Amino acid sequence: MRTLPGVSAALALAATITGCGAGAVQVPVPRPDVAAAELCKRLKLPDKVHGRTRREVSPQSTFTAAWGSPAIALRCGVPLPRHDMRAVIAVINGVQWLPTPEEKPVTFTAVGRKAYVEVTIPHSYTNGGSAPGEILMEFNPAIQAAMPEKPEGEL
């Protein structure tokens, strides 16, 4: 098994997103640049994802959100993952998603947009037959409305 740069960061993020109870979900807040922050503020997120209701996050931020328990977490304005991922990008209804790590994805980053959106999906949501793509599709309308695409071929 090969180790990809950025994989350990994605796994660390997955371990950091906590909150199996009724309290706030701990989601690390990204530090987007000014342009990405403005786009993230326009992101209109759903009240429910995969049938799960939205949860409070800690620390509170306009750049993070969470749904369900265990939490499906979103971070807007993250940096582009560092390794070359052109071969593993999945296009789901017009949005390009990069899975990290490649072998057992936990985190997916919407790329090819002027701001990057990252979604972390616990394995428990995909072990019962659901595909991550079903969950990611629920974010596509918000991403497509708020995040302009980059020129073709740019991640």
Side-chain angles (χ1 to χ4, degrees):
M1 177 189 325
R2 65 184 179 150
T3 302
L4 300 172
V7 169
S8 55
L11 293 175
L13 173 66
T16 303
I17 296 172
T18 59
C20 292
V25 179
Q26 302 294 311
V27 181
V29 178
R31 293 183 181 160
D33 62 31
V34 173
E38 286 304 312
L39 292 172
C40 289
K41 289 175 187 173
R42 296 181 5 197
L43 196 62
K44 303 289 185 216
L45 297 172
D47 291 329
K48 288 190 174 199
V49 171
H50 203 59
R52 278 46 175 208
T53 21
R54 194 153 173 184
R55 306 236 343 242
E56 183 180 335
V57 295
S58 178
Q60 290 184 342
S61 171
T62 58
F63 306 124
T64 61
W67 297 262
S69 181
I72 296 169
L74 177 140
R75 300 181 341 125
C76 187
V78 297
L80 177 67
R82 295 181 187 207
H83 62 283
D84 182 11
M85 58 268 160
R86 295 176 199 266
V88 296
I89 292 173
V91 179
I92 303 171
N93 288 353
V95 175
Q96 300 176 66
W97 290 97
L98 167 68
T100 310
E102 212 173 319
E103 297 83 15
K104 292 184 178 182
V106 172
T107 300
F108 299 81
T109 305
V111 296
R113 302 278 166 174
K114 299 215 174 177
Y116 303 110
V117 178
E118 179 183 271
V119 176
T120 300
I121 303 172
H123 284 296
S124 61
Y125 289 103
T126 58
N127 287 340
S130 294
E134 294 173 19
I135 296 170
L136 297 174
M137 278 193 299
E138 296 183 45
F139 294 105
N140 284 0
I143 291 170
Q144 289 169 319
M147 309 292 166
E149 289 185 74
K150 290 186 173 185
E152 190 168 332
E154 284 187 33
L155 296 180

